[in-house]
Amino acid sequence: MTTHSTKQIFSRIAKSAGLAAAALVMAGSAWAGFSVSGTQLLDANGNNFIIRGVNHPHTWYTQQTGAFADIAATGSNAVRVVLSNGHRWNRNSASDVANVITLCKNNKLICVLEVHDATGGGEEGAADSIANVANYWVDIASVLKGQEDFVIINIANEPIGNSQTDEKWTNEHRDAIQTLRNAGLTHTLLIDASNWGQDWQEVMLKHASQVAAADSLSNTMFSVHMYQVYQNRNTIENYVSSFLSTHNLPLIIGEFGADHQGEFVDAESILAVAEQYGIGYMGWSWSGNGGCCTSLDMVNNFNANDLTSWGDRLINGANGIRETSEPASVFGAASTSSSSSSSTSTSSTSSSSSSSSSSSSSGGGVCVEMCKWYNDDPRPLCENQDNGWGYENNQSCIGRTTCSNQNNGNGGIIDVCSGSSSSSSSSSSSSSSSSSSSSSSSSSSSSSSSSTSSSSSSSSSSSSSGGSSSSSSSSSSSSSSSSSSSSSSGGDTGEVVADILINNDWGGGYCASVVVENTGSSVVSWDVAIAIEGQVSSLWNAKWSQSGSTLLLQGVAWNATLQPGEMNSSAGFCANR
């Protein structure tokens, strides 16, 4: 954020437009602390952790240590702490940072530490380089190591200004990640977007996977700062949904307010979208903003009993901190309570789970209902709660209603089947407490540095019949990038092209989306044959069989028909090598 009186006030910016997965999550990371799994941030116990918190300008107000307890009292589960490496402001020493971490832990706050000195790099002449900021983290590594359960390192605040090259943001962050990893820092790393954090040129939206691929631990997440660029829900939701579906990496809204320098910010939609998509947010800021931006103070003069209208909205309003925040389980509390669900809900969802476990599957396989969370791998459905994220049976889970209410991407409740041939669908599943149906509505496009995949879905009924197709082999990739193989089939009236888009790769196996497109001029019902590596362990939203390295896929009732030019990526699979 650029609100402190000694910092550059930037010019107005024109508004621009699982089965295998669950096993992987339970296996955990090879290091202590937070870790990244698809679009989720997992705490040290393997629980999904959704950040709900506040920014605190510690480096300018080092005596305001009581703010940590005050912020915790709002219900926040995290605090983003402003630090300085000494380039522009007084350097926060290793001992001071150690004290900050202690204050966070004492108040059961996850500590997101950031260095502010590089803000506006390339446009702000006084800004330090990302490389120098990375060296600061190495300098104070002794107080960071051992705190991986409680600390996330936000390498540099808004370190790239406007109208800089994509390569500057990408390459400098890649180098910084490697600097920290080479120093033995295994913490989850958080990367701020370009354009003073607002990414109106979509640099991070295009290149996040490329940056994440530089992390030898695959433990990097990303942050967009939402101010006057984000003045309506469509802009906010399009950015969030596009980022998640494109990169399959965690995203948070690291800063936002209700206005910025006199311009409107759609904070209501930011809060609603963050809750809908299960991503974190951190409002700017607790107190002490400079003359341009005092409206962004949450309390007046660091007095917790004197909330501003912005502070009251963020803390006490709908989708705000008190309503949605859950403490990190490393402090001894479950990430999401399942005991609040009624006994009837437990009974009905258990019955639903039982019935889904016995779903039909030709070839001796078994199908279970799971949640396809946007473009992520399938995740378990909660048995004891219908809304939000939970933790049951030693793994994270998603409530049925939350899963079904996705508005973008190709998510929803799906059948995940094991065996040589199985039938899966996204038909509705009901319980006494709620009735939910899978959703694969809305068109969205997704891309990565190595391949591009556009996806859209339609709900229609058709028999599955179509021409055969041939395919080229797929190649593996890390979870932060994707690779594809394609096949095509011709017919009298249409042609179907199929691509494999790898979303997650852990060496011994991988999960991928299957993207089918009708490139012809007439409606077709698709079936394709694609070459894959390994043996399919689970597959969703298609009828299938496998012979050697050839996977035969056919659409199910709701996704079998493709209109001319239509693309659908609702089908997918996991395979063991």
Side-chain angles (χ1 to χ4, degrees):
M1 179 58 192
T2 55
T3 60
H4 191 264
S5 58
T6 62
K7 293 189 287 179
Q8 169 78 13
I9 301 173
F10 60 89
S11 59
R12 176 175 179 173
I13 304 172
K15 183 175 68 175
S16 134
L19 294 177
L24 181 62
V25 169
M26 288 188 289
S29 60
W31 60 91
F34 281 93
S35 61
V36 165
S37 176
T39 59
Q40 289 184 313
L41 172 65
L42 305 181
D43 69 17
N45 292 328
N47 296 333
N48 184 43
F49 180 67
I50 301 176
I51 291 173
R52 292 286 184 264
V54 168
N55 284 267
H56 172 54
H58 172 73
T59 199
W60 304 305
Y61 302 97
T62 54
Q63 302 306 310
Q64 296 289 346
T65 53
F68 289 86
D70 292 338
I71 290 169
T74 68
S76 293
N77 59 23
V79 58
R80 183 171 179 256
V81 183
V82 179
L83 300 175
S84 172
N85 68 347
H87 180 79
R88 298 184 65 181
W89 299 284
N90 292 330
R91 179 184 175 98
N92 294 100
S93 66
S95 61
D96 180 61
V97 175
N99 186 54
V100 165
I101 296 171
T102 298
L103 288 167
C104 288
K105 292 165 65 176
N106 288 347
N107 290 285
K108 297 184 178 181
L109 294 167
I110 295 303
C111 225
V112 181
L113 302 176
E114 61 101 338
V115 170
H116 226 72
D117 300 69
T119 302
E123 183 178 2
E124 166 57 65
D128 201 1
S129 67
I130 297 175
N132 284 344
V133 171
N135 288 331
Y136 170 77
W137 297 116
V138 175
D139 288 345
I140 65 168
S142 61
V143 301
L144 299 172
K145 292 180 179 179
Q147 304 299 327
E148 293 84 359
D149 288 4
F150 311 101
V151 171
I152 294 170
I153 300 176
N154 187 178
I155 294 179
N157 178 73
E158 302 175 359
I160 304 295
N162 294 321
S163 303
Q164 305 302 302
T165 65
D166 291 14
E167 290 77 14
K168 180 176 177 65
W169 180 86
T170 302
N171 294 335
E172 291 183 15
H173 277 112
R174 285 175 58 88
D175 291 344
I177 289 170
Q178 291 167 358
T179 296
L180 270 63
R181 294 301 185 228
N182 290 339
L185 293 169
T186 62
H187 305 67
T188 294
L189 303 179
L190 180 62
I191 305 297
D192 278 7
S194 189
N195 305 124
W196 302 83
Q198 297 205 72
D199 208 29
W200 60 270
Q201 291 179 302
E202 299 186 346
V203 177
M204 187 172 85
L205 188 59
K206 291 182 288 188
H207 301 296
S209 289
Q210 187 178 349
V211 170
D215 186 355
S216 58
L217 300 181
S218 298
N219 196 20
T220 296
M221 59 187 296
F222 294 84
S223 173
V224 61
H225 295 179
M226 291 191 169
Y227 291 110
Q228 63 265 57
V229 169
Y230 298 91
Q231 297 186 334
N232 59 75
R233 181 167 182 134
N234 283 342
T235 302
I236 296 162
E237 189 165 3
N238 286 342
Y239 188 93
V240 170
S241 63
S242 295
F243 184 95
L244 296 176
S245 64
T246 298
H247 299 291
N248 194 35
L249 291 165
L251 175 72
I252 69 166
I253 301 165
E255 291 185 16
F256 71 107
D259 70 279
H260 189 246
Q261 298 180 1
E263 294 189 68
F264 173 72
V265 180
D266 190 359
E268 295 291 330
S269 292
I270 291 171
L271 291 163
V273 168
E275 180 65 11
Q276 175 187 331
Y277 285 80
I279 68 170
Y281 64 68
M282 308 190 85
W284 185 277
S285 68
W286 187 242
S287 196
N289 284 287
C292 74
C293 306
T294 54
S295 62
L296 290 171
D297 284 352
M298 297 177 195
V299 299
N300 292 310
N301 299 316
F302 291 93
N303 181 358
N305 295 317
D306 190 9
L307 282 175
T308 66
S309 59
W310 163 229
D312 184 55
R313 172 63 193 89
L314 176 65
I315 296 165
N316 298 316
N319 299 311
I321 291 172
R322 289 199 193 280
E323 183 179 290
T324 64
S325 178
E326 295 286 346
S329 69
V330 293
F331 295 119
S335 61
T336 304
S337 172
S338 60
S339 61
S340 61
S341 300
S342 65
S343 59
T344 56
S345 173
T346 301
S347 173
S348 63
T349 53
S350 296
S351 172
S352 172
S353 175
S354 173
S355 64
S356 66
S357 296
S358 59
S359 298
S360 64
S361 171
S362 61
V366 176
C367 295
V368 296
E369 286 186 317
M370 296 186 76
C371 179
K372 184 72 163 60
W373 186 247
Y374 296 95
N375 208 31
D376 208 349
D377 304 329
R379 301 192 180 278
L381 288 166
C382 297
E383 296 181 5
N384 297 322
Q385 65 185 71
D386 292 323
N387 293 296
W389 292 81
Y391 190 74
E392 299 175 4
N393 302 318
N394 297 314
Q395 60 186 337
S396 297
C397 60
I398 304 174
R400 301 178 69 87
T401 301
T402 298
C403 180
S404 299
N405 287 342
Q406 300 170 69
N407 289 337
N408 282 294
N410 291 294
I413 296 174
I414 61 172
D415 284 345
V416 176
C417 306
S418 61
S420 60
S421 178
S422 60
S423 175
S424 60
S425 69
S426 61
S427 59
S428 64
S429 172
S430 63
S431 68
S432 62
S433 60
S434 66
S435 177
S436 57
S437 62
S438 66
S439 168
S440 60
S441 61
S442 293
S443 298
S444 63
S445 64
S446 65
S447 64
S448 74
S449 58
S450 58
S451 68
T452 302
S453 166
S454 299
S455 63
S456 66
S457 61
S458 62
S459 180
S460 57
S461 176
S462 172
S463 61
S464 298
S465 61
S468 61
S469 64
S470 61
S471 70
S472 62
S473 63
S474 63
S475 61
S476 65
S477 102
S478 68
S479 61
S480 59
S481 61
S482 60
S483 60
S484 66
S485 67
S486 62
S487 64
S488 62
S489 62
D492 294 337
T493 58
E495 180 175 297
V496 176
V497 176
D499 290 320
I500 295 176
L501 185 69
I502 295 178
N503 300 320
N504 194 2
D505 192 318
W506 56 96
Y510 62 98
C511 292
S513 298
V514 178
V515 185
V516 291
E517 180 182 10
N518 179 7
T519 61
S521 58
S522 301
V523 176
V524 297
S525 295
W526 65 270
D527 60 68
V528 295
I530 53 179
I532 67 166
E533 184 181 5
Q535 181 66 39
V536 171
S537 59
S538 61
L539 191 143
W540 51 93
N541 295 338
K543 299 175 183 179
W544 66 281
S545 63
Q546 183 176 357
S547 177
S549 61
T550 301
L551 179 63
L552 301 174
L553 294 170
Q554 185 180 46
V556 292
W558 64 274
N559 70 359
T561 301
L562 293 175
Q563 299 294 324
E566 183 181 0
M567 183 179 292
N568 190 292
S569 61
S570 57
F573 66 93
C574 294
N576 296 318
R577 289 193 173 95

